[in-house]
Amino acid sequence: MPSRLPWWQGAVIYQVYVRSFCDGNGDGQGDFIGLTGKLDYIKALGVDAIWLSPVHPSPNRDWGYDVSDYEAVHPDYGTLQDFDRLLSEAHSRGLKVILDEVLCHTSDEHPWFQDSMRRGEKSGWYVWADPQADGTAPNNWLSVFGGPAWSYQPARRQHYHHKFLRQQPKLNWQNPEAKAAALKVIDFWLERGVDGYRLDVANGFLHDTALTPNPPVPMALRTDFNWADADNQQEHLYDCNLPENIQVLQEIRRRVEAHGDRFVLGEFSEGYERAGAFAAPDEGLHAAYTFYMLRQKILAPGFITGNYALLAGHPRHWPVVAFCNHDIMRTVSRFGGAPEGDPALAKLLLALLFAIKGSVCLYQGEELGLTEVDLRRDQLRDPVGDLYYPIFKGRDGCRTPMPWDARATNLGFSTGTPWLPLGPAHKGLAASEQESDPHSPLAFARRFLAARKAHPALITGTMKFIPAAANILVFAREVEGERLVCAFNMSRKATVFDLTPLGRLEALTLGSGEAAVREGRLELGPLAAWFGRGL
């Protein structure tokens, strides 16, 4: 008998951005009580787990990704008792709960940093360096959020390193005591009953202690991506993405596994191979997702095939797949959908996400086909939006509150003033409107995920691409006893694909849009998805 596969392999994980999900006490902030009240909705989707955005106390410079206390919960979200009830209620419904943990850096208000700044017992817990003779930063490392990745602190007459905001000082994982303290955080919440972690900035635990300057990206190789942000104009070889990073990832995985059947995945925004993103599950983390597909803006087969071309050299790695999250423009908008919603595009993208190989991360509202919300500058709360406005308005447009009820105050998110405005176009996309519509993206997501559980090939099967025309993506998923052919028309024009070389196929009811097979030819309508099972 083959050994039982781990629960997370091929699982669907629903990402909850807690502050924008559901407000249970009317203060305009999503919270644990509101989320607990929506667990039946999440369960009805057919997902296996929920991933919670950071839940710890934070000054909210970066909205929770600047942690000031690792062993408590943010008062905006409730109490530890509220969290425990959420955890218990999720588990009673068969849902795993994964925490988003930020261990590469802390808030500058964390007691650890305050002690380090005073050269106390934790003096070496952060990355400090002397200024150059003229007072400038120790080297050329750049922050993702603009400017040097160093800030001067007169209390020590030194600079401290921060890959993001200056209020997010880098924790020094080369310091044994700092590393031990960070690993204790992992134990604390696993002992409380959580089922695993999503590690923020999993490529960034280590830095080059010699502070070697990063080299520039050669001018001839620069793309729009490089010019979009000063930080992207240098190769991040020394401030993060060190090959030794995989050793830290492996140590974290062992720490998680010591608590039993748990799961840890990582976010890798750069340095994929160098930093251990594609490691086998017994060499680094259990799994990881990169930003390759998240950054794609052209709906074409290369959006998918490019990602799996990167993975091809790492056959033992099990990927996590995601098209959208709290940092990325809403998928429907990113691929050219109408501002008021594009159900056909939303369903195509859902079918594709649920059909490709990997464990799936589904961002809240993706099942509704939510679109990006265009906010005014005075409405923005994200520091990145303030940095590059109006060329880039930051991440708030994908973080606006969930629209639950088209007829309720604030679309059912809160009885108080929401922390971010709701999207005006989201009224027609609200869950209440889609619940009664069998042709809605929500209904499609539920049907697909229910059916997916009956098809092992879609969960753990191999994936092989089949040559097709430029606007068609075709691949086969196969596991012992089942072979499925999956075809997607990624254009808004009807097209045809010859099925005859693929043998006898039985059409399944998983697809979306108009599709028909006539004399061995698959006729796909605009944005249509079709699935067939080998006989």
Side-chain angles (χ1 to χ4, degrees):
M1 291 278 296
S3 59
R4 183 177 68 88
L5 292 171
W7 67 264
W8 49 265
Q9 193 164 1
V12 179
I13 302 165
Y14 187 77
Q15 182 192 352
V16 174
Y17 192 79
V18 179
R19 192 171 296 276
S20 291
F21 196 66
C22 186
D23 174 15
N25 64 6
D27 66 356
Q29 317 281 337
D31 51 38
F32 298 139
I33 294 174
L35 172 54
T36 302
K38 296 297 183 181
L39 287 175
D40 287 338
Y41 169 88
I42 296 173
K43 177 65 176 177
L45 279 174
V47 303
D48 304 287
I50 55 177
W51 145 25
L52 305 182
S53 60
V55 299
H56 305 309
S58 165
N60 289 334
R61 298 282 189 169
D62 191 25
W63 297 101
Y65 287 87
D66 49 328
V67 177
S68 57
D69 183 352
Y70 284 112
E71 295 188 355
V73 294
H74 201 300
D76 286 352
Y77 299 156
T79 65
L80 273 171
Q81 290 70 35
D82 294 329
F83 175 82
D84 288 341
R85 179 171 175 263
L86 166 63
L87 192 61
S88 175
E89 291 290 336
H91 285 163
S92 73
R93 290 164 172 80
L95 293 169
K96 306 285 188 181
V97 177
I98 296 168
L99 294 187
D100 197 333
E101 206 59 76
V102 189
L103 296 174
C104 282
H105 55 257
T106 72
S107 165
D108 62 349
E109 296 185 25
H110 196 292
W112 296 350
F113 183 73
Q114 295 296 308
D115 180 88
S116 184
M117 187 171 60
R118 295 190 296 268
R119 295 186 184 267
E121 293 181 357
K122 299 175 177 58
S123 178
W125 282 33
Y126 293 81
V127 182
W128 295 94
D130 294 333
Q132 297 189 58
D134 62 358
T136 54
N139 63 16
N140 74 337
W141 294 353
L142 291 175
S143 163
V144 174
F145 289 177
W150 298 93
S151 286
Y152 182 69
Q153 178 46 256
R156 284 186 60 136
R157 299 182 180 179
Q158 286 185 307
H159 284 75
Y160 63 89
H161 174 45
H162 52 88
K163 185 171 175 61
F164 299 95
L165 294 175
R166 66 176 179 82
Q167 294 91 354
Q168 294 171 294
K170 171 79 170 64
L171 198 61
N172 184 8
W173 274 74
Q174 274 101 333
N175 180 290
E177 293 179 349
K179 182 174 78 169
L183 291 172
K184 277 187 65 178
V185 174
I186 291 172
D187 292 334
F188 181 87
W189 294 97
L190 291 174
E191 289 167 1
R192 204 168 190 98
V194 303
D195 300 287
Y197 293 100
R198 177 263 191 191
L199 296 180
D200 190 55
V201 202
N203 55 293
F205 286 101
L206 301 182
H207 69 285
D208 174 47
T209 56
L211 305 186
T212 305
N214 284 328
V217 175
M219 285 290 182
L221 299 180
R222 294 189 184 187
T223 65
D224 289 345
F225 169 75
N226 300 110
W227 290 112
D229 190 332
D231 167 65
N232 297 337
Q233 294 170 44
Q234 60 180 222
E235 297 190 37
H236 293 276
L237 303 183
Y238 299 107
D239 58 335
C240 54
N241 305 318
L242 272 63
E244 297 83 1
N245 190 67
I246 193 173
Q247 297 166 12
V248 175
L249 303 179
Q250 190 160 311
E251 189 166 358
I252 291 173
R253 176 181 54 78
R254 286 198 300 265
R255 195 70 167 238
V256 170
E257 288 179 337
H259 293 266
D261 188 19
R262 311 296 173 92
F263 174 49
V264 57
L265 72 145
E267 171 208 43
F268 291 80
S269 60
E270 58 192 19
Y272 304 153
E273 295 186 74
R274 183 177 166 90
F278 299 146
D282 58 348
E283 296 174 345
L285 302 179
H286 291 122
Y289 73 85
T290 72
F291 273 57
Y292 183 92
M293 293 189 295
L294 291 168
R295 290 187 175 124
Q296 300 301 310
K297 297 178 181 179
I298 298 174
L299 187 63
F303 157 45
I304 302 297
T305 58
N307 183 62
Y308 288 91
L310 288 175
L311 293 171
H314 309 275
R316 293 183 61 221
H317 173 68
W318 183 263
V320 173
V321 294
F323 292 172
C324 185
N325 65 24
H326 62 288
D327 286 331
I328 300 296
M329 179 183 288
R330 288 276 181 189
T331 314
V332 169
S333 298
R334 203 167 84 239
F335 289 114
E340 67 274 11
D342 195 330
L345 177 59
K347 286 186 278 188
L348 174 78
L349 291 166
L350 288 168
L352 185 56
L353 178 63
F354 297 152
I356 56 179
K357 180 182 177 181
S359 300
V360 177
C361 284
L362 180 71
Y363 181 48
Q364 66 180 49
E366 205 170 351
E367 76 281 6
L368 301 175
L370 292 189
T371 52
E372 188 82 354
V373 179
D374 187 16
L375 299 172
R376 302 188 310 268
R377 187 169 193 172
D378 64 289
Q379 295 173 319
L380 300 181
R381 312 295 291 274
D382 179 16
V384 182
D386 188 60
L387 179 65
Y388 289 124
Y389 187 93
I391 302 301
F392 177 57
K393 297 184 179 181
R395 301 165 293 178
D396 289 325
C398 70
R399 298 177 175 184
T400 56
M402 276 281 284
W404 292 107
D405 188 343
R407 293 164 294 278
T409 301
N410 295 320
L411 302 186
F413 165 72
S414 174
T415 56
T417 302
W419 79 287
L420 279 176
L422 285 113
H426 288 181
K427 182 174 183 178
L429 300 173
S432 62
E433 302 303 287
Q434 298 198 32
E435 287 277 0
S436 58
D437 180 1
H439 305 294
S440 67
L442 175 60
F444 176 77
R446 287 174 173 172
R447 285 196 304 272
F448 198 109
L449 289 180
R452 184 176 182 269
K453 295 181 187 300
H455 293 288
L458 290 179
I459 299 174
T460 58
T462 59
M463 183 175 176
K464 181 180 180 181
F465 293 103
I466 298 168
N471 60 340
I472 305 174
L473 177 68
V474 184
F475 55 81
R477 298 292 309 274
E478 188 167 357
V479 74
E480 185 177 352
E482 184 177 51
R483 180 174 72 97
L484 300 183
V485 173
C486 315
F488 305 84
N489 180 4
M490 304 179 85
S491 77
R492 294 182 183 270
K493 295 181 179 180
T495 190
V496 175
F497 177 73
D498 184 8
L499 288 173
T500 53
L502 304 181
R504 294 179 59 210
L505 295 169
E506 173 192 21
L508 301 176
T509 58
L510 287 172
S512 65
E514 298 294 327
V517 178
R518 294 183 176 89
E519 299 179 353
R521 289 160 54 88
L522 174 60
E523 299 175 1
L524 288 169
L527 302 176
W530 180 88
F531 296 81
R533 178 168 49 197
L535 297 175

